[in-house]
Amino acid sequence: QNVTQTVEEEKPEPPTIQEIKQKIEKYNAKVTNCLLMKLNEDGTYTGFIKVHLKLRRPVTVPAGIRPQSIYDALKEVNLADITDKRTSFYLPLDAIKQLHISSTTTVSEVIQGLLKKFMVVDNPQKFALFKEMRKDGQVLFQKLPLTEYPLYLRLLAGPDTDVLSFVLKENETGEVEWDAFSIPELQNFLMILDKEEKDKIQQVHRKYERFKQRLQQTLKEARGKPG
């Protein structure tokens, strides 16, 4: 059972550098891969988080643009600026993206970074980052404030993603706010839905055509038997 919580939690006092150092040492002792956290001289630290993408609506991307290369990333080339043409498609459900971030990286920056990596040109406000927790057989989702620091949450929870994981979902506020989408986006959505409908109809036709053929073959064999 999935339960989404929207209650804000009270933030404790910020930890001291010595407390952070102890937490990082304890965290790294539990890491089973090379994804360690590193403490900097100024008291900040860096590490990795994994974000599950659970987007159920299509996203808008530049049309006809190749995936971003290492050269583009190093040169900070924004491929979305190369063309004004747009198209929509569904990202793979529950895809996982690993990010190397700092303790000063906010939820807002994580969302923007994810959209940039997938070349999504939709407004970041259409998306929200949730923390996923498991308790008493339930899967609990809590929407994170844009000013929250995901790496600190990862540090407190430890490296076990069964205890805490991050999920990117649509920023649901009840009903879908269709006014937030542009006319080309809405037209693309209609095209996608039309294609899905036609594919579904073809699947049903093929299913019953196979059933019809098997039934006819069975009747033919039955007529050929004596008695």
Side-chain angles (χ1 to χ4, degrees):
Q1 182 179 0
N2 293 344
V3 179
T4 300
Q5 295 180 338
T6 57
V7 179
E8 294 287 343
E9 295 180 350
E10 292 186 7
K11 291 186 178 181
E13 291 294 324
T16 64
I17 294 180
Q18 184 61 30
E19 289 174 335
I20 288 293
K21 182 180 179 180
Q22 293 174 354
K23 290 180 183 298
I24 290 178
E25 291 175 350
K26 184 178 179 181
Y27 179 96
N28 288 340
K30 297 179 180 179
V31 172
T32 57
N33 48 36
C34 299
L35 306 181
L36 302 173
M37 288 199 187
K38 179 181 179 182
L39 180 64
N40 302 318
E41 294 181 357
D42 60 359
T44 62
Y45 50 97
T46 57
F48 296 85
I49 64 170
K50 291 182 179 180
V51 181
H52 296 250
L53 276 66
K54 295 185 178 181
L55 302 177
R56 301 192 176 278
R57 292 198 291 269
V59 295
T60 305
V61 297
I65 295 295
R66 57 180 170 77
Q68 190 177 41
S69 66
I70 296 177
Y71 174 83
D72 294 330
L74 292 175
K75 296 296 183 179
E76 296 185 351
V77 175
N78 188 358
L79 297 177
D81 294 337
I82 298 178
T83 177
D84 293 330
K85 296 181 180 179
R86 299 288 183 261
T87 187
S88 296
F89 79 107
Y90 286 93
L91 288 174
L93 187 61
D94 207 20
I96 300 176
K97 189 66 178 179
Q98 186 168 274
L99 299 176
H100 184 253
I101 63 174
S102 165
S103 57
T104 61
T105 303
T106 63
V107 166
S108 177
E109 292 169 331
V110 167
I111 294 174
Q112 294 179 42
L114 285 169
L115 298 183
K116 183 177 180 181
K117 284 182 179 295
F118 286 97
M119 293 188 291
V120 176
V121 296
D122 290 307
N123 190 327
Q125 295 181 357
K126 296 178 183 178
F127 307 92
L129 191 68
F130 291 76
K131 65 177 181 180
E132 178 181 330
M133 302 161 290
R134 301 178 185 277
K135 184 178 180 182
D136 299 330
Q138 292 184 328
V139 179
L140 307 177
F141 290 93
Q142 182 175 8
K143 181 179 174 181
L144 296 175
L146 294 177
T147 55
E148 181 64 88
Y149 301 108
L151 192 61
Y152 182 61
L153 297 178
R154 180 79 279 160
L155 177 62
L156 294 179
D160 189 354
T161 54
D162 287 337
V163 176
L164 170 72
S165 59
F166 297 102
V167 179
L168 183 72
K169 302 172 68 176
E170 282 85 3
N171 189 10
E172 299 289 2
T173 56
E175 295 295 327
V176 178
E177 296 180 359
W178 295 111
D179 292 341
F181 295 90
S182 66
I183 292 179
E185 287 176 325
L186 295 173
Q187 291 174 335
N188 280 326
F189 293 165
L190 289 175
M191 292 174 60
I192 291 173
L193 291 173
D194 184 60
K195 182 179 183 302
E196 289 183 345
E197 181 184 19
K198 291 179 180 178
D199 291 343
K200 191 65 176 179
I201 291 174
Q202 290 178 358
Q203 290 176 11
V204 173
H205 281 176
R206 287 194 294 268
K207 173 183 176 181
Y208 283 96
E209 183 62 29
R210 289 193 298 268
F211 180 78
K212 178 181 178 181
Q213 291 175 358
R214 289 197 296 268
L215 182 59
Q216 290 175 337
Q217 181 64 28
T218 302
L219 288 172
K220 182 179 179 180
E221 293 174 354
R223 291 193 185 101
K225 293 180 179 179

